[in-house]
């Protein structure tokens, strides 16, 4: 059996080196469901909210803008540094699911934007969020669906057209994580963890980005080895970027921006 701890360390090292680049490129798409996520968790003035897997601090910043008292955590020191810049009013620290350094029932709400499937066994992650939320509090989570929108499949289609191998699926979503990938499964997951009135729905948005910036960022990100295994040689990289540019043309708006359709799961329930 592969040593998943060693893989986790390798992935953290990659994020340490390339966190800011990822945030400026593909990671920017993750901001789409932030407002609906905070609405679902009823985050507002005075809410004591925990943002797990904060990444660059997008959720933490939006929650502080609503007047919430925010604590944000991420396992990557590089991401925590970005989050502190983005959300200076939040308390931000390095910590990793599924074991958090907080006492029971100390938050009104806990939210996580695209952390499920990446932070250990999914059932244990949801149970830990339930532990740190007070009775009557809320848990809200987003996650990628197994039925992606066209904008989300663009890179995969470009890699296929160029004959380039993708990162193994078990690295992106380890099979032992138990992530469901569909709305019914997500609702069951939250209910099994002890959340009341657990529901899940699909949210949709367009990731809007300048076409030139997207192509340049994609090329730089591909060169890191985060998206392919191994990193492509220069000729393959040129082919991937060329196919991606061609495939992105249907999403080009008159102002020169790409509007890439995305969908995700949004699940929430009451403690």
């Amino acid at each position: 059996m592969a040593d998943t701890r060693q893989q986790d360390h390798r992935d953290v090292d990659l994020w340490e080196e390339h966190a800011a680049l990822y945030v400026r490129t593909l990671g920017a798409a993750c901001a789409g469901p932030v407002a609906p996520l905070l609405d679902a968790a009823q985050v507002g003035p005075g809410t004591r909210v925990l943002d797990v897997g904060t990444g660059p601090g997008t959720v933490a910043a939006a929650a502080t803008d609503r007047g919430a008292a925010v604590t944000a955590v991420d396992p990557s020191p590089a991401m925590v540094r970005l989050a502190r810049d983005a959300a200076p009013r939040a308390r931000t620290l390095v910590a990793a699911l599924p074991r958090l350094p907080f006492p029971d029932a100390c938050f009104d709400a806990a939210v996580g934007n695209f952390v499920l499937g990446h932070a250990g066994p999914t059932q244990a992650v949801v149970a830990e969020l339930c532990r740190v939320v007070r009775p009557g509090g809320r848990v809200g989570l987003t996650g990628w669906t197994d039925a992606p929108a066209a904008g989300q499949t663009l890179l995969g289609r470009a890699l296929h057209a160029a004959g380039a191998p993708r990162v193994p699926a078990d690295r992106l979503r380890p099979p032992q994580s138990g992530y469901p990938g569909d709305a019914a499964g997500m609702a069951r997951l939250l209910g099994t963890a002890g959340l009341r009135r657990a529901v899940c729905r699909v949210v949709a948005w367009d990731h809007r980005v300048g076409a030139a910036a997207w192509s340049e960022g994609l090329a730089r990100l591909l060169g890191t080895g985060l998206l392919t295994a191994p990193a492509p040689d220069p000729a393959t990289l040129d082919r991937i970027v060329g196919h991606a540019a061609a495939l992105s043309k249907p999403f080009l708006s008159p102002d020169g921006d790409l509007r890439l359709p995305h969908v995700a799961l949004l699940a929430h329930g009451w403690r």
Side-chain angles (χ1 to χ4, degrees), residues 12-257:
V12 169
D13 290 343
L14 283 172
W15 289 125
E16 278 295 297
E17 187 175 355
H18 304 299
L21 175 61
Y22 176 78
V23 168
R24 290 196 304 271
T25 53
L26 299 186
C30 297
V34 168
L37 173 63
L38 295 177
D39 289 343
Q42 297 187 355
V43 174
T47 305
R48 298 171 301 165
V49 60
L50 173 66
D51 173 24
V52 294
T54 190
T58 306
V59 174
T64 57
D65 286 345
R66 294 181 177 213
V70 180
T71 299
V73 301
D74 198 278
S76 164
M79 288 295 188
V80 166
R81 289 192 292 272
L82 292 175
R84 286 172 178 163
D85 289 339
R89 289 175 289 167
R91 176 194 177 203
T92 310
L93 61 151
V94 176
L97 286 161
R99 294 180 181 177
L100 297 171
F102 307 114
D104 296 352
C106 62
F107 296 102
D108 301 314
V111 295
N113 196 34
F114 300 111
V115 298
L116 291 182
H118 307 287
T122 300
Q123 191 70 50
V125 167
V126 180
E128 180 70 349
L129 298 183
C130 290
R131 180 187 70 79
V132 300
V133 169
R134 64 168 174 81
R138 290 83 61 193
V139 173
L141 295 159
T142 61
W144 297 117
T145 170
D146 287 342
Q152 294 162 268
T153 65
L154 197 156
L155 175 59
R157 288 185 286 139
L159 291 170
H160 179 75
R166 298 198 68 172
V167 169
D170 60 357
R171 176 177 160 188
L172 296 174
R173 186 192 296 174
Q176 66 269 25
S177 72
Y179 179 77
D182 64 276
M186 284 278 279
R188 283 195 301 270
L189 173 70
L190 270 60
T192 301
L195 291 171
R196 298 177 293 110
R197 291 182 279 167
V199 294
C200 182
R201 63 186 175 92
V202 175
V203 292
W205 72 99
D206 284 348
H207 171 42
R208 185 166 179 170
V209 59
W214 187 80
S215 292
E216 180 184 358
L218 180 61
R220 292 182 60 197
L221 195 60
L222 283 163
T224 67
L226 283 170
L227 304 180
T228 60
D233 58 71
T236 303
L237 177 58
D238 286 344
R239 291 200 305 274
I240 298 169
V241 174
H243 284 297
L247 291 167
S248 70
K249 287 182 179 178
F251 307 108
L252 192 64
S253 63
D255 59 10
D257 284 351

Side-chain angles (χ1 to χ4, degrees), residues 3-13 15 118 174:
D3 188 339
T4 56
R5 292 173 300 176
Q6 290 183 2
Q7 181 63 62
D8 289 344
H9 287 310
R10 286 195 294 270
D11 289 346
V12 169
D13 290 343
W15 289 125
H118 307 287

